[in-house]
Amino acid sequence: MTREQQPAHGGTELGRYLRARRAQVTPAEAGLSPGAGLRRTPGLRREELATLAGVSIDYYARLERGKETRPSPSVVDALARALLLTEDEHEHLRSLATRAARTAPEPAGAPSRTLRPGVTLMLESLRPGPAYVASRTNDLLAWNPAGLALFAGIEDWPVKQRNLARYAFLHPAARDLFDDWEHTLRGCVARLRALAGTDPDAPDLAALVGELLLKSPDFARLWERYEIKAHAYGRKTYHHPDVGTFTLGYQGMHLEGTPGHRLVTYYAEPGTPAHDALVLLDLTAHKPASGDGAPRRGRSATAPDAARDDHSTPSSGRRAPGTGR
């Protein structure tokens, strides 16, 4: 992890997660009386959570501080119940407990960005619906015409800079594009937080999180909340500067045999205004087929550096996107 990612109180990722979730559960939500006097803790006190989970206060305090790293499955389950965790959050807690029990850290490395040849054909077959393939840290690796054009203005960024979390937090067009911008931000952070819990030293994650912590107060605020529930399907409304306002269904899915790559596709019922908007977006979209910026219409594109394990952001004389917000 970068220095910016490390909280001042240290400890393990398991302890940081327990602290963050404890702060977000009120006594009333946990079925407790708030008691008399001023509460300095925003959520549950350590002793309250320990009592609810049926463990000693000293044992729970050692868990938060990283002094105890081998909680039993029954303790993990009891803490999840006391913290009112969802199924996804509960599973994340189990993963953190398993990782905390390891005696030696596993070497981290940037995962491959290589895509199989059939990916571009698959994306092409989903037209006019927007579709793209993203890495585990939300780098755009491949897309069809509407898949890139959906994120208005992102085509102006160099290919290796096109990351959906970076776009949501730093691109000036993002706030107006997403009907529920805050919800989109939370989903981006939740996905990165889940990865940080299981692979916190990964260089691709560390570079992106370090950048966003420095450039975006909104990211820093949501990063501290430690929410991990990502949204794999649902509906989103967009206010697109080229084709207007429309609502789409979307579905994300893991691509088997890849290091966390996801295919995300959007759809609308044929004959509806939303479907008409997709057709228009597909017809008018254009994007570079290579890194030279020359536009070509009606072509699917794959990031030219997709086969390289390079996650760096290219430097230039221009100001970083979004820093003027």
Side-chain angles (χ1 to χ4, degrees):
M1 277 288 189
T2 63
R3 179 172 297 179
E4 291 85 358
Q5 289 171 261
Q6 295 287 1
H9 37 63
T12 62
E13 196 66 25
L14 173 62
R16 288 190 281 273
Y17 187 58
L18 289 171
R19 276 192 294 271
R21 302 312 300 172
R22 177 169 62 85
Q24 295 176 52
V25 179
T26 66
E29 290 172 331
L32 300 175
S33 170
L38 179 66
R39 291 182 67 90
R40 291 179 296 177
T41 304
L44 293 175
R45 297 187 176 104
R46 282 179 178 169
E47 57 268 26
E48 291 171 334
L49 180 53
T51 299
L52 288 169
V55 299
S56 72
I57 297 173
D58 178 67
Y59 179 82
Y60 178 74
R62 286 187 286 118
L63 270 179
E64 276 203 4
R65 292 168 180 159
K67 304 299 183 182
E68 171 58 54
T69 59
R70 295 180 179 273
S72 68
S74 61
V75 168
V76 171
D77 292 344
L79 288 169
R81 288 192 296 271
L83 289 168
L84 308 177
L85 299 186
T86 65
E87 183 178 345
D88 288 342
E89 293 165 344
H90 190 168
E91 185 58 37
H92 186 68
L93 184 64
R94 291 194 187 102
S95 298
L96 293 180
T98 299
R99 189 178 191 280
R102 296 173 184 159
T103 57
E106 296 180 348
S112 172
R113 296 164 59 92
T114 301
L115 299 175
R116 288 188 288 272
V119 169
T120 301
L121 292 175
M122 180 172 60
L123 294 173
E124 183 73 13
S125 71
L126 294 170
R127 295 176 64 182
Y132 59 83
V133 173
S135 73
R136 63 180 192 168
T137 56
N138 273 334
D139 287 337
L140 281 178
L141 303 180
W143 52 82
N144 64 14
L148 191 68
L150 181 63
F151 303 99
I154 198 171
E155 70 275 6
D156 296 330
W157 283 0
V159 171
K160 288 188 289 185
Q161 197 174 347
R162 294 174 187 171
N163 176 283
L164 296 180
R166 181 182 288 117
Y167 176 84
F169 282 96
L170 300 182
H171 200 288
R175 186 186 291 266
D176 294 328
L177 176 70
F178 299 109
D179 185 70
D180 192 340
W181 183 61
E182 177 75 12
H183 181 77
T184 299
L185 298 187
R186 291 173 64 181
C188 290
V189 175
R191 187 170 297 281
L192 295 176
R193 257 306 188 184
L195 178 59
T198 56
D199 199 0
D201 300 317
D204 55 332
L205 174 69
L208 178 62
V209 171
E211 175 190 355
L212 294 178
L213 284 171
L214 287 173
K215 294 180 178 179
S216 173
D218 290 309
F219 182 86
R221 168 178 58 85
L222 293 172
W223 186 255
E224 284 303 308
R225 287 184 59 83
Y226 213 137
E227 296 176 345
I228 58 92
K229 184 178 180 181
H231 305 281
Y233 62 91
R235 296 181 65 80
K236 287 186 178 181
T237 298
Y238 297 86
H239 305 285
H240 200 280
D242 295 329
V243 296
T245 296
F246 50 87
T247 299
L248 305 176
Y250 69 93
Q251 176 69 57
M253 58 204 83
H254 175 67
L255 290 180
E256 297 292 338
T258 69
H261 296 171
R262 293 177 299 114
L263 168 66
V264 181
T265 183
Y266 296 79
Y267 55 88
E269 187 73 21
T272 63
H275 190 268
D276 292 341
L278 290 189
V279 173
L280 180 60
L281 189 65
D282 178 71
L283 289 174
T284 59
H286 65 275
K287 58 208 58 64
S290 65
D292 59 8
R296 296 184 183 180
R297 292 187 176 272
R299 291 285 302 277
S300 295
T302 301
D305 296 298
R308 303 178 190 173
D309 295 334
D310 185 352
H311 297 264
S312 61
T313 300
S315 59
S316 70
R318 296 181 298 175
R319 185 173 58 184
T323 55
R325 285 177 50 190

